[in-house]
Amino acid sequence: LEVRETRDERTLLEQILHPRNPPRISTRDSLITLKLRPDGSNLEDALRPVTEYTGRRPPEPESMHSQGATLRVIDTVSGETTEWRDADLKITRPPSYSDPNTLELSVHPANGPAGAVLAVHAQWNEISGAAFGDLHVEVEGQGLPLADLKPLIRRVASDHLLCDCQLTGHAQLTLEADLPEGLSKSPAGQASGSLQLSEVSLSLPQLLGEDRFQSAASSLAFDAAMACSQLELRSLEVRSEGVTASGKGTVTTGDQPGAVIAPVSLSGQIDLAQMARKLPHTFQGADRPQLESGEFIFRLDGQPPSTKTTGSRWTLTAGTPLIRATLPNGEAVEWKSPIDVSVAIQQQAGEWR
């Protein structure tokens, strides 16, 4: 951490007359260097003694304002460096507990297009027994480069298939969340958001081999709520080139997860021929049929208990109504319903049958 200028915005007279009042800190042109390793980071190393300290702590500042800061992220495995510049961060903690704390953040990716920005607004109250009580968060991002996520992906997924991924493209996102109990052990609240991806290119050598998945446009939108060990999915929409899905419903998340409270429906379809063209080494080859057309359609339904059933009932149907392909010898063929799956599961006395 390098700081060019640090100030306490309290006047000299205020410091003399009210020496116990918390400071109001402001900084300019800071440089924060974050070095990410598969097993941790220099930030985690620095914060560990602070989080483990149980003694008396100094008073926290009433406000902190950092302007013109730069965040430099270094991937210690690949040596790649990304930067987020012109960060403006302001945190305010009013002396009165009746007033909410606030956080305002805006930062610009150095590798993003003109106008690219990530903005965060949050406010919360101090509630005994809850971290960030009555938390409200709003996030908005424009033109965010997906390539900047690679060091973070390597950090959180060092033992998974994602650790060797290559990801490019840009993202636009919105998120709004309200958590009345804050970040407690039993979170409750609601959240909604959307994500639009453009010109995405993704390679996963351990999963896709030589193939690289590419999509000009993909999107996701959701609206959900959680309370009393229940998850309510009010709406879910996923769209990409060759893939669509939607869903809604309410299920339990407690001791008996998966019990249906309100009817659940999740359905979608995948254009197999388009996926085969996008991933030729995975789906096709010189000695394999070349898919010309065909769709994989699936639907998952959940029904709550009724007068006729004592537990939740789940049904899954999936299949391909018609597939057309060309064999290696040039012959055109078609298969009607080559895949047709139907499964039903009943929950009774806490068991699935």
Side-chain angles (χ1 to χ4, degrees):
L1 172 64
E2 301 176 20
V3 182
R4 181 179 177 182
E5 177 184 329
T6 303
R7 299 176 58 186
D8 184 347
E9 298 296 339
R10 295 178 300 171
T11 65
L12 178 60
L13 182 60
E14 182 180 359
Q15 296 182 46
I16 294 174
L17 297 178
H18 306 284
R20 294 186 178 182
N21 284 359
R24 297 190 295 272
I25 304 299
S26 66
T27 65
R28 288 184 178 274
D29 302 331
S30 303
L31 173 60
I32 303 171
T33 302
L34 179 61
K35 296 181 179 180
L36 296 176
R37 311 182 305 268
D39 64 340
S41 67
N42 60 333
L43 178 61
E44 293 168 86
D45 297 341
L47 291 179
R48 188 171 296 111
V50 178
T51 57
E52 296 176 353
Y53 179 70
T54 58
R56 184 177 181 181
R57 299 175 181 270
E60 298 181 2
E62 179 181 322
S63 65
M64 185 188 74
H65 191 188
S66 176
Q67 296 175 288
T70 297
L71 173 62
R72 180 176 297 162
V73 182
I74 300 176
D75 187 337
T76 59
V77 175
S78 65
E80 298 178 356
T81 300
T82 59
E83 285 191 356
W84 293 68
R85 300 172 179 169
D86 298 325
D88 191 299
L89 171 64
K90 187 173 184 179
I91 301 175
T92 303
R93 303 181 74 253
S96 172
Y97 284 103
S98 62
D99 298 325
N101 303 284
T102 61
L103 179 149
E104 301 282 349
L105 169 67
S106 65
V107 62
H108 306 268
N111 297 326
V117 63
L118 174 65
V120 179
H121 167 77
Q123 67 178 39
W124 67 95
N125 291 322
E126 300 288 348
I127 296 179
S128 177
F132 297 100
D134 196 14
L135 176 64
H136 174 79
V137 179
E138 296 177 12
V139 181
E140 183 175 356
Q142 300 282 346
L144 305 179
L146 298 178
D148 284 1
L149 296 177
K150 184 179 177 180
L152 296 176
I153 293 175
R154 191 190 299 275
R155 166 66 186 94
V156 300
S158 58
D159 298 328
H160 301 82
L161 296 176
L162 291 175
C163 66
D164 291 328
C165 76
Q166 298 289 335
L167 179 64
T168 60
H170 293 90
Q172 175 178 328
L173 65 90
T174 61
L175 173 66
E176 183 172 353
D178 287 289
L179 301 175
E181 300 300 325
L183 304 178
S184 60
K185 295 181 179 179
S186 301
Q190 57 186 1
S192 61
S194 64
L195 174 67
Q196 290 85 37
L197 304 178
S198 59
E199 304 301 331
V200 173
S201 179
L202 171 67
S203 67
L204 286 170
Q206 297 186 44
L207 181 63
L208 302 178
E210 300 178 19
D211 284 330
R212 177 180 287 269
F213 177 81
Q214 295 180 317
S215 175
S218 302
S219 65
L220 177 149
F222 75 94
D223 185 2
M226 178 175 286
C228 301
S229 298
Q230 295 182 11
L231 174 62
E232 177 188 4
L233 184 61
R234 297 165 177 167
S235 65
L236 173 67
E237 296 287 341
V238 179
R239 296 188 179 277
S240 184
E241 296 174 357
V243 178
T244 60
S246 62
K248 63 179 180 178
T250 305
V251 297
T252 59
T253 61
D255 297 334
Q256 295 183 0
V260 180
I261 304 300
V264 175
S265 65
L266 176 64
S267 61
Q269 62 184 41
I270 302 173
D271 189 326
L272 297 177
Q274 190 168 1
M275 289 297 103
R277 290 190 292 270
K278 287 180 175 291
L279 307 170
H281 294 90
T282 302
F283 288 93
Q284 303 187 120
D287 57 343
R288 301 179 187 176
Q290 304 296 304
L291 293 179
E292 305 296 339
S293 64
E295 292 183 340
F296 178 76
I297 301 174
F298 65 90
R299 183 177 182 88
L300 177 66
D301 290 294
Q303 294 297 326
S306 65
T307 56
K308 298 181 179 180
T309 59
T310 58
S312 303
R313 178 178 174 84
W314 290 90
T315 57
L316 170 66
T317 56
T320 52
L322 178 65
I323 290 182
R324 292 188 174 91
T326 301
L327 300 179
N329 62 9
E331 178 185 357
V333 296
E334 65 177 39
W335 296 286
K336 294 183 179 180
S337 300
I339 300 176
D340 190 0
V341 178
S342 181
V343 179
I345 302 177
Q346 183 78 35
Q347 184 190 40
Q348 291 182 347
E351 297 182 354
W352 294 96
R353 301 177 182 179

